[in-house]
PDB file of all heavy atoms in Angstrom:
ATOM      1  N   GLU Q 190      69.741  39.843 -97.829  1.00  0.00           N
ATOM      2  CA  GLU Q 190      70.401  38.964 -96.868  1.00  0.00           C
ATOM      3  C   GLU Q 190      70.669  37.589 -97.483  1.00  0.00           C
ATOM      4  O   GLU Q 190      71.747  37.005 -97.303  1.00  0.00           O
ATOM      5  CB  GLU Q 190      69.544  38.825 -95.612  1.00  0.00           C
ATOM      6  CG  GLU Q 190      70.200  38.002 -94.511  1.00  0.00           C
ATOM      7  CD  GLU Q 190      69.342  37.936 -93.257  1.00  0.00           C
ATOM      8  OE1 GLU Q 190      68.384  38.724 -93.150  1.00  0.00           O
ATOM      9  OE2 GLU Q 190      69.636  37.088 -92.398  1.00  0.00           O
ATOM     10  N   GLU Q 191      69.690  37.067 -98.230  1.00  0.00           N
ATOM     11  CA  GLU Q 191      69.886  35.769 -98.878  1.00  0.00           C
ATOM     12  C   GLU Q 191      70.959  35.838 -99.956  1.00  0.00           C
ATOM     13  O   GLU Q 191      71.766  34.913-100.108  1.00  0.00           O
ATOM     14  CB  GLU Q 191      68.562  35.280 -99.481  1.00  0.00           C
ATOM     15  CG  GLU Q 191      67.565  34.794 -98.453  1.00  0.00           C
ATOM     16  CD  GLU Q 191      66.543  33.860 -99.068  1.00  0.00           C
ATOM     17  OE1 GLU Q 191      66.943  32.947 -99.828  1.00  0.00           O
ATOM     18  OE2 GLU Q 191      65.349  34.033 -98.788  1.00  0.00           O
ATOM     19  N   ILE Q 192      70.973  36.930-100.714  1.00  0.00           N
ATOM     20  CA  ILE Q 192      72.006  37.093-101.747  1.00  0.00           C
ATOM     21  C   ILE Q 192      73.381  37.160-101.084  1.00  0.00           C
ATOM     22  O   ILE Q 192      74.342  36.543-101.555  1.00  0.00           O
ATOM     23  CB  ILE Q 192      71.729  38.355-102.580  1.00  0.00           C
ATOM     24  CG1 ILE Q 192      70.430  38.185-103.381  1.00  0.00           C
ATOM     25  CG2 ILE Q 192      72.890  38.650-103.532  1.00  0.00           C
ATOM     26  CD1 ILE Q 192      69.904  39.474-103.982  1.00  0.00           C
ATOM     27  N   ALA Q 193      73.473  37.903 -99.984  1.00  0.00           N
ATOM     28  CA  ALA Q 193      74.748  38.006 -99.259  1.00  0.00           C
ATOM     29  C   ALA Q 193      75.184  36.637 -98.742  1.00  0.00           C
ATOM     30  O   ALA Q 193      76.364  36.276 -98.829  1.00  0.00           O
ATOM     31  CB  ALA Q 193      74.618  39.000 -98.110  1.00  0.00           C
ATOM     32  N   ASP Q 194      74.249  35.862 -98.215  1.00  0.00           N
ATOM     33  CA  ASP Q 194      74.580  34.512 -97.737  1.00  0.00           C
ATOM     34  C   ASP Q 194      75.116  33.653 -98.874  1.00  0.00           C
ATOM     35  O   ASP Q 194      76.067  32.888 -98.703  1.00  0.00           O
ATOM     36  CB  ASP Q 194      73.346  33.849 -97.120  1.00  0.00           C
ATOM     37  CG  ASP Q 194      72.964  34.441 -95.766  1.00  0.00           C
ATOM     38  OD1 ASP Q 194      73.826  35.117 -95.161  1.00  0.00           O
ATOM     39  OD2 ASP Q 194      71.817  34.221 -95.334  1.00  0.00           O
ATOM     40  N   GLU Q 195      74.498  33.776-100.036  1.00  0.00           N
ATOM     41  CA  GLU Q 195      74.952  32.991-101.196  1.00  0.00           C
ATOM     42  C   GLU Q 195      76.350  33.424-101.622  1.00  0.00           C
ATOM     43  O   GLU Q 195      77.196  32.590-101.964  1.00  0.00           O
ATOM     44  CB  GLU Q 195      73.960  33.150-102.349  1.00  0.00           C
ATOM     45  CG  GLU Q 195      74.176  32.167-103.481  1.00  0.00           C
ATOM     46  CD  GLU Q 195      73.921  30.729-103.074  1.00  0.00           C
ATOM     47  OE1 GLU Q 195      73.044  30.486-102.202  1.00  0.00           O
ATOM     48  OE2 GLU Q 195      74.616  29.838-103.605  1.00  0.00           O
ATOM     49  N   MET Q 196      76.618  34.727-101.599  1.00  0.00           N
ATOM     50  CA  MET Q 196      77.951  35.216-101.957  1.00  0.00           C
ATOM     51  C   MET Q 196      79.002  34.721-100.966  1.00  0.00           C
ATOM     52  O   MET Q 196      80.114  34.350-101.361  1.00  0.00           O
ATOM     53  CB  MET Q 196      77.947  36.742-102.034  1.00  0.00           C
ATOM     54  CG  MET Q 196      77.116  37.289-103.194  1.00  0.00           C
ATOM     55  SD  MET Q 196      77.043  39.105-103.224  1.00  0.00           S
ATOM     56  CE  MET Q 196      78.739  39.512-103.702  1.00  0.00           C
ATOM     57  N   ARG Q 197      78.651  34.686 -99.694  1.00  0.00           N
ATOM     58  CA  ARG Q 197      79.585  34.155 -98.687  1.00  0.00           C
ATOM     59  C   ARG Q 197      79.858  32.678 -98.948  1.00  0.00           C
ATOM     60  O   ARG Q 197      81.005  32.213 -98.860  1.00  0.00           O
ATOM     61  CB  ARG Q 197      79.010  34.321 -97.276  1.00  0.00           C
ATOM     62  CG  ARG Q 197      78.934  35.758 -96.788  1.00  0.00           C
ATOM     63  CD  ARG Q 197      78.560  35.778 -95.303  1.00  0.00           C
ATOM     64  NE  ARG Q 197      78.227  37.131 -94.869  1.00  0.00           N
ATOM     65  CZ  ARG Q 197      76.990  37.591 -94.756  1.00  0.00           C
ATOM     66  NH1 ARG Q 197      75.955  36.815 -95.061  1.00  0.00           N
ATOM     67  NH2 ARG Q 197      76.770  38.827 -94.352  1.00  0.00           N
ATOM     68  N   ALA Q 198      78.801  31.940 -99.275  1.00  0.00           N
ATOM     69  CA  ALA Q 198      78.956  30.510 -99.521  1.00  0.00           C
ATOM     70  C   ALA Q 198      79.847  30.261-100.738  1.00  0.00           C
ATOM     71  O   ALA Q 198      80.702  29.368-100.716  1.00  0.00           O
ATOM     72  CB  ALA Q 198      77.585  29.858 -99.718  1.00  0.00           C
ATOM     73  N   VAL Q 199      79.647  31.037-101.782  1.00  0.00           N
ATOM     74  CA  VAL Q 199      80.476  30.876-102.977  1.00  0.00           C
ATOM     75  C   VAL Q 199      81.938  31.168-102.648  1.00  0.00           C
ATOM     76  O   VAL Q 199      82.845  30.444-103.066  1.00  0.00           O
ATOM     77  CB  VAL Q 199      79.975  31.804-104.107  1.00  0.00           C
ATOM     78  CG1 VAL Q 199      80.960  31.820-105.273  1.00  0.00           C
ATOM     79  CG2 VAL Q 199      78.602  31.345-104.595  1.00  0.00           C
ATOM     80  N   ARG Q 200      82.169  32.235-101.866  1.00  0.00           N
ATOM     81  CA  ARG Q 200      83.547  32.567-101.503  1.00  0.00           C
ATOM     82  C   ARG Q 200      84.171  31.478-100.634  1.00  0.00           C
ATOM     83  O   ARG Q 200      85.322  31.096-100.836  1.00  0.00           O
ATOM     84  CB  ARG Q 200      83.602  33.908-100.768  1.00  0.00           C
ATOM     85  CG  ARG Q 200      85.032  34.398-100.573  1.00  0.00           C
ATOM     86  CD  ARG Q 200      85.111  35.798-100.006  1.00  0.00           C
ATOM     87  NE  ARG Q 200      84.793  35.845 -98.592  1.00  0.00           N
ATOM     88  CZ  ARG Q 200      85.161  36.830 -97.776  1.00  0.00           C
ATOM     89  NH1 ARG Q 200      85.842  37.858 -98.253  1.00  0.00           N
ATOM     90  NH2 ARG Q 200      84.837  36.817 -96.515  1.00  0.00           N
ATOM     91  N   ASP Q 201      83.401  30.944 -99.683  1.00  0.00           N
ATOM     92  CA  ASP Q 201      83.928  29.903 -98.797  1.00  0.00           C
ATOM     93  C   ASP Q 201      84.286  28.632 -99.564  1.00  0.00           C
ATOM     94  O   ASP Q 201      85.165  27.869 -99.134  1.00  0.00           O
ATOM     95  CB  ASP Q 201      82.905  29.572 -97.700  1.00  0.00           C
ATOM     96  CG  ASP Q 201      82.731  30.723 -96.704  1.00  0.00           C
ATOM     97  OD1 ASP Q 201      83.592  31.629 -96.696  1.00  0.00           O
ATOM     98  OD2 ASP Q 201      81.730  30.714 -95.970  1.00  0.00           O
ATOM     99  N   GLU Q 202      83.604  28.400-100.681  1.00  0.00           N
ATOM    100  CA  GLU Q 202      83.851  27.205-101.487  1.00  0.00           C
ATOM    101  C   GLU Q 202      84.802  27.483-102.653  1.00  0.00           C
ATOM    102  O   GLU Q 202      84.911  26.671-103.578  1.00  0.00           O
ATOM    103  CB  GLU Q 202      82.519  26.663-102.020  1.00  0.00           C
ATOM    104  CG  GLU Q 202      81.588  26.177-100.905  1.00  0.00           C
ATOM    105  CD  GLU Q 202      80.189  25.868-101.402  1.00  0.00           C
ATOM    106  OE1 GLU Q 202      79.973  25.928-102.643  1.00  0.00           O
ATOM    107  OE2 GLU Q 202      79.317  25.567-100.568  1.00  0.00           O
ATOM    108  N   ASP Q 203      85.489  28.642-102.596  1.00  0.00           N
ATOM    109  CA  ASP Q 203      86.415  29.030-103.666  1.00  0.00           C
ATOM    110  C   ASP Q 203      85.740  29.075-105.033  1.00  0.00           C
ATOM    111  O   ASP Q 203      86.344  28.756-106.057  1.00  0.00           O
ATOM    112  CB  ASP Q 203      87.622  28.075-103.711  1.00  0.00           C
ATOM    113  CG  ASP Q 203      88.487  28.178-102.461  1.00  0.00           C
ATOM    114  OD1 ASP Q 203      88.624  29.300-101.941  1.00  0.00           O
ATOM    115  OD2 ASP Q 203      89.011  27.148-102.013  1.00  0.00           O
ATOM    116  N   GLY Q 204      84.468  29.468-105.024  1.00  0.00           N
ATOM    117  CA  GLY Q 204      83.745  29.625-106.277  1.00  0.00           C
ATOM    118  C   GLY Q 204      83.977  31.003-106.875  1.00  0.00           C
ATOM    119  O   GLY Q 204      84.852  31.762-106.433  1.00  0.00           O
ATOM    120  N   THR Q 205      83.178  31.331-107.890  1.00  0.00           N
ATOM    121  CA  THR Q 205      83.350  32.580-108.619  1.00  0.00           C
ATOM    122  C   THR Q 205      82.054  33.375-108.660  1.00  0.00           C
ATOM    123  O   THR Q 205      81.022  32.871-109.115  1.00  0.00           O
ATOM    124  CB  THR Q 205      83.816  32.302-110.068  1.00  0.00           C
ATOM    125  OG1 THR Q 205      85.090  31.659-110.032  1.00  0.00           O
ATOM    126  CG2 THR Q 205      83.942  33.599-110.860  1.00  0.00           C
ATOM    127  N   VAL Q 206      82.125  34.616-108.178  1.00  0.00           N
ATOM    128  CA  VAL Q 206      81.012  35.566-108.301  1.00  0.00           C
ATOM    129  C   VAL Q 206      81.357  36.523-109.440  1.00  0.00           C
ATOM    130  O   VAL Q 206      82.374  37.221-109.387  1.00  0.00           O
ATOM    131  CB  VAL Q 206      80.785  36.353-107.007  1.00  0.00           C
ATOM    132  CG1 VAL Q 206      79.711  37.429-107.221  1.00  0.00           C
ATOM    133  CG2 VAL Q 206      80.377  35.420-105.870  1.00  0.00           C
ATOM    134  N   LEU Q 207      80.531  36.532-110.465  1.00  0.00           N
ATOM    135  CA  LEU Q 207      80.691  37.438-111.599  1.00  0.00           C
ATOM    136  C   LEU Q 207      79.682  38.569-111.480  1.00  0.00           C
ATOM    137  O   LEU Q 207      78.489  38.317-111.292  1.00  0.00           O
ATOM    138  CB  LEU Q 207      80.473  36.678-112.913  1.00  0.00           C
ATOM    139  CG  LEU Q 207      80.366  37.504-114.199  1.00  0.00           C
ATOM    140  CD1 LEU Q 207      81.650  38.269-114.482  1.00  0.00           C
ATOM    141  CD2 LEU Q 207      80.002  36.610-115.386  1.00  0.00           C
ATOM    142  N   VAL Q 208      80.160  39.802-111.567  1.00  0.00           N
ATOM    143  CA  VAL Q 208      79.278  40.971-111.494  1.00  0.00           C
ATOM    144  C   VAL Q 208      79.237  41.640-112.856  1.00  0.00           C
ATOM    145  O   VAL Q 208      80.283  41.953-113.437  1.00  0.00           O
ATOM    146  CB  VAL Q 208      79.750  41.969-110.425  1.00  0.00           C
ATOM    147  CG1 VAL Q 208      78.861  43.202-110.423  1.00  0.00           C
ATOM    148  CG2 VAL Q 208      79.730  41.317-109.049  1.00  0.00           C
ATOM    149  N   VAL Q 209      78.032  41.834-113.385  1.00  0.00           N
ATOM    150  CA  VAL Q 209      77.812  42.510-114.667  1.00  0.00           C
ATOM    151  C   VAL Q 209      77.337  43.923-114.354  1.00  0.00           C
ATOM    152  O   VAL Q 209      76.285  44.105-113.743  1.00  0.00           O
ATOM    153  CB  VAL Q 209      76.781  41.762-115.527  1.00  0.00           C
ATOM    154  CG1 VAL Q 209      76.686  42.387-116.909  1.00  0.00           C
ATOM    155  CG2 VAL Q 209      77.143  40.277-115.631  1.00  0.00           C
ATOM    156  N   CYS Q 210      78.110  44.925-114.753  1.00  0.00           N
ATOM    157  CA  CYS Q 210      77.912  46.293-114.265  1.00  0.00           C
ATOM    158  C   CYS Q 210      77.439  47.245-115.358  1.00  0.00           C
ATOM    159  O   CYS Q 210      77.981  47.235-116.469  1.00  0.00           O
ATOM    160  CB  CYS Q 210      79.223  46.840-113.702  1.00  0.00           C
ATOM    161  SG  CYS Q 210      79.919  45.855-112.382  1.00  0.00           S
TER     162      CYS Q 210
END
Side-chain angles (χ1 to χ4, degrees):
E190 184 178 346
E191 286 202 46
I192 294 167
D194 288 343
E195 192 65 32
M196 292 177 70
R197 291 189 191 99
V199 171
R200 189 173 75 159
D201 291 345
E202 296 170 6
D203 294 324
T205 297
V206 174
L207 170 63
V208 177
V209 186
C210 302

